[in-house]
Amino acid sequence: MNLSRRRWALATVLVALAVLHVVDPWGGRGPDVAGMPWDLAYHLLWMIAAAAAVLYMTYRVWPDEPG
Amino acid sequence: MDTLTTIAIVCGVYFAVVLAIGAVAYRRTGSGSEEYFLGGRTARTLVLFMALFGTNVTPFVLMGIPGLAYHQGVGVFGLNAAIVALGIPLTFWLIGDPAWRAARRVGAITPAELFAERFASPAVGYVLFAAFVLYTLPYMVTSVLGVGLAVTELTGGAVSFAAAAGALLAITLAYTALGGMRATMWTNVFQGAVFLGLMVVAFVWIASDYGGVAAAMDRVRTHAPQLLTKGERPIFAPGAWASWGLAISLTVIAFPHMLVRIFAAKDVTALKNSCRLYPPALVLLWLPAVLFGVWGAVELPGLSGRESDVVFVRLVAAHLPAVGQGVALAGILAAVMSTVDAQFLTLSSMLIRDVLRRTRRAPSEAQQVRLGRWFVVGLAAVTYVVALWRPASIFSIASFSFSGYVTLIPTLLLGLHWRRMTAAGAIASVVVGNVALGLTAAASAPVLGVLPVAWGLGAGLAAAIVVSRMSTPPPVDVVDRVLGTAP
């Protein structure tokens, strides 16, 4: 995949994450996860997805070459 | 040995280590403003990340967030922590990286200096300097407030708020004024380790006292179940939630003290590694902060308004042994000092580079450093006086500053990516953005359910585009010199 496609892929993921940050598809009524209430667990899971997006951004999209 | 003496000894050791690091950095700092204000642009991953993260963490996280979660519950985690795990790395890439490259090209030391060069307009530098000072001073006050409150609580009033705030500022002044950027970055590594360690240890210790995290959450389910859901609280309404997410994601890169630390990076790898480290570090810090607030609501009910800023400190006093309380105070001091030192140094460098250097009798390199040191002393005095006044809660003051910084984002972002943007567009963006922010903030309720920060950002963006389109494009050679040749 070339850089342009990787940027589009990242942009798509970022938009999806932004939407999922505002809108919880379970409407705040999901189950407890490992003893954590849903409204906390949901955003912890969201952060894991965000961390993956950051890794993708820094390894595959952000250029290394000096400006 | 009594608790007070133990706390004093632990804090004494902490201060000694910080001053020792500052002294070593002072001896290693060469002459010249780039050495003093940017540490020679040599920061690698560990130092850069700890300097950025340490600068980023203030009593807003250690005390303001538990204080807010005390009233609003676990939703505070999603509102604040989650979105910045994405927002900070993203803005470091979109704004930090091109700003770092441009600053190296033209030898800029401050953000205002960089953008004055980009637009070939000292006026842009003056406007940015004014905005940075306006929003950084209150932010510094929140730091000092946090320490004053923590010391008063942990010492049972034996050390007054005024004495604690004064001592903190004096010690921060000592190593910042002498050692410059190198001293602040090296001390930030130690300070970051102290406050991250504190949060983890305090979390494990306090949870153990409750019988584990699950038992602690069960206590909340029994006594304050409303804190375990976002519910119908106004701050979690979609408009407010989205606009606050926008604010807290975008604001960090607009802190002048963060941009200056990015300028100090040795290479782009250090910056990318810092981005990778941000999300896990945020979880380590924010998850305990929010849970302390929720657990504190059950254990220490009845705190109203800004009184809840002390909930973390009271939990520490109730659960940790004397040494732990000392470490807790040292951790709060570390969080504060690692931010205040950066703010002192950055505002001082901007005054020297963006204002005094442009006067008729521009100071020499040696004079710049000397003047910078005296300006830091003046800033400390102003911060001290305002902190004693304590105008509002930590969260409220920080919200004011964060919103203000966001109005600068259109200038920072478009200035680095849109070659057609003009000086007039940049100045209009800052002015119009701040007017919109002020007007909507003065309204009794969020306009159309959206926080003032979003109105300020939107108005600033529109003004930047419209006024740039209406004004003469900047000379190509000026833009190329700062941004590099267009692809």
Side-chain angles (χ1 to χ4, degrees):
Chain A
M1 195 158 49
N2 63 26
L3 180 60
S4 174
R5 287 190 174 196
R6 290 199 295 270
R7 281 184 174 164
W8 274 108
L10 177 66
T12 307
V13 169
L14 293 177
V15 170
L17 282 168
V19 171
L20 288 171
H21 172 67
V22 179
V23 181
D24 168 5
W26 287 266
R29 287 185 288 276
D32 287 3
V33 179
M36 296 285 173
W38 176 252
D39 275 336
L40 183 57
Y42 176 77
H43 289 286
L44 273 169
L45 295 170
W46 187 94
M47 278 181 93
I48 293 170
V54 169
L55 290 178
Y56 184 75
M57 177 186 85
T58 52
Y59 281 111
R60 306 290 293 162
V61 180
W62 187 338
D64 263 324
E65 74 272 13
Chain B
M1 195 184 303
D2 64 14
T3 302
L4 208 55
T5 309
T6 308
I7 291 174
I9 290 172
V10 173
C11 289
V13 170
Y14 163 76
F15 283 138
V17 172
V18 165
L19 287 172
I21 296 171
V24 172
Y26 174 57
R27 282 203 293 274
R28 298 261 181 100
T29 297
S31 60
S33 52
E34 186 165 291
E35 263 290 313
Y36 180 74
F37 290 123
L38 286 183
R41 301 183 202 261
T42 56
R44 293 177 187 274
T45 296
L46 176 67
V47 172
L48 182 68
F49 171 71
M50 292 302 256
L52 289 167
F53 195 67
T55 302
N56 205 180
V57 175
T58 64
F60 171 74
V61 180
L62 299 187
M63 300 175 73
I65 289 300
L68 187 66
Y70 180 94
H71 298 297
Q72 308 288 353
V74 296
V76 171
F77 183 82
L79 180 69
N80 290 281
I83 191 67
V84 295
L86 185 63
I88 291 176
L90 191 62
T91 54
F92 279 10
W93 173 46
L94 292 175
I95 294 175
D97 176 69
W100 172 78
R101 291 169 197 269
R104 287 179 92 87
R105 271 187 212 107
V106 296
I109 286 178
T110 77
E113 183 183 357
L114 174 64
F115 285 90
E117 293 280 342
R118 155 66 179 87
F119 295 110
S121 162
V124 172
Y126 297 145
V127 169
L128 284 176
F129 171 74
F132 284 140
V133 171
L134 174 67
Y135 294 118
T136 302
L137 269 175
Y139 196 28
M140 290 202 296
V141 169
T142 67
S143 303
V144 179
L145 277 177
V147 163
L149 291 174
V151 171
T152 309
E153 281 293 323
L154 282 173
T155 62
V159 179
S160 70
F161 182 97
L168 168 100
L169 287 170
I171 291 170
T172 310
L173 263 178
Y175 71 82
T176 306
L178 287 176
M181 175 65 96
R182 187 162 280 129
T184 64
M185 291 184 100
W186 286 7
T187 52
N188 287 175
V189 175
F190 170 65
Q191 290 161 333
V194 170
F195 66 68
L196 270 177
L198 159 71
M199 288 306 266
V200 174
V201 170
F203 180 72
V204 171
W205 200 294
I206 293 171
S208 299
D209 270 5
Y210 290 137
V213 174
M217 298 312 289
D218 282 342
R219 276 166 56 101
V220 182
R221 266 184 208 97
T222 305
H223 300 286
Q226 75 282 2
L227 295 179
L228 298 182
T229 62
K230 286 190 281 192
E232 302 298 319
R233 296 178 178 86
I235 67 164
F236 301 140
W241 177 276
S243 40
W244 179 249
L246 195 67
I248 199 159
S249 299
L250 297 179
T251 194
V252 173
I253 193 66
F255 295 169
H257 42 290
M258 291 296 275
L259 269 172
V260 166
R261 270 154 157 57
I262 287 174
F263 290 178
K266 180 177 176 58
D267 50 35
V268 75
T269 304
L271 192 53
K272 288 162 87 169
N273 285 338
S274 297
C275 290
R276 293 166 188 143
L277 290 168
Y278 246 94
L282 285 169
V283 173
L284 276 182
L285 195 66
W286 284 74
L287 187 60
V290 170
L291 291 179
F292 288 148
V294 174
W295 295 346
V298 174
E299 182 171 337
L300 307 161
L303 300 176
S304 63
R306 65 188 184 186
E307 285 175 357
S308 62
D309 280 348
V310 297
V311 66
F312 169 57
V313 180
R314 288 202 182 163
L315 281 180
V316 164
H319 291 272
L320 269 61
V323 172
Q325 292 178 42
V327 174
L329 187 51
I332 292 169
L333 289 168
V336 170
M337 292 165 79
S338 61
T339 305
V340 172
D341 58 10
Q343 291 167 324
F344 277 164
L345 197 64
T346 302
L347 290 187
S348 142
S349 64
M350 284 197 293
L351 177 83
I352 306 303
R353 305 282 301 184
D354 305 320
V355 179
L356 296 181
R357 202 168 58 107
R358 297 186 188 281
T359 59
R360 260 191 224 164
R361 293 181 58 195
S364 67
E365 284 275 307
Q367 286 172 324
Q368 287 181 33
V369 174
R370 202 162 47 246
L371 281 168
R373 287 179 173 141
W374 279 110
F375 185 60
V376 165
V377 175
L379 275 175
V382 172
T383 307
Y384 183 67
V385 171
V386 179
L388 291 185
W389 172 38
R390 199 185 170 190
S393 76
I394 290 173
F395 189 85
S396 303
I397 300 172
S399 301
F400 167 79
S401 289
F402 290 174
S403 301
Y405 285 127
V406 171
T407 61
L408 308 180
I409 287 292
T411 297
L412 303 184
L413 183 66
L414 296 180
L416 292 165
H417 291 279
W418 187 34
R419 288 167 184 266
R420 179 65 177 77
M421 187 174 183
T422 65
I427 292 170
S429 172
V430 175
V431 172
V432 172
N434 278 279
V435 168
L437 177 69
L439 289 175
T440 48
S444 55
V447 179
L448 301 176
V450 173
L451 296 183
V453 63
W455 293 108
L457 178 66
L461 197 58
I465 294 169
V466 170
V467 176
S468 291
R469 282 283 174 207
M470 290 168 59
S471 45
T472 309
V476 173
D477 60 322
V478 167
V479 180
D480 283 355
R481 183 173 157 267
V482 179
L483 301 185
T485 312

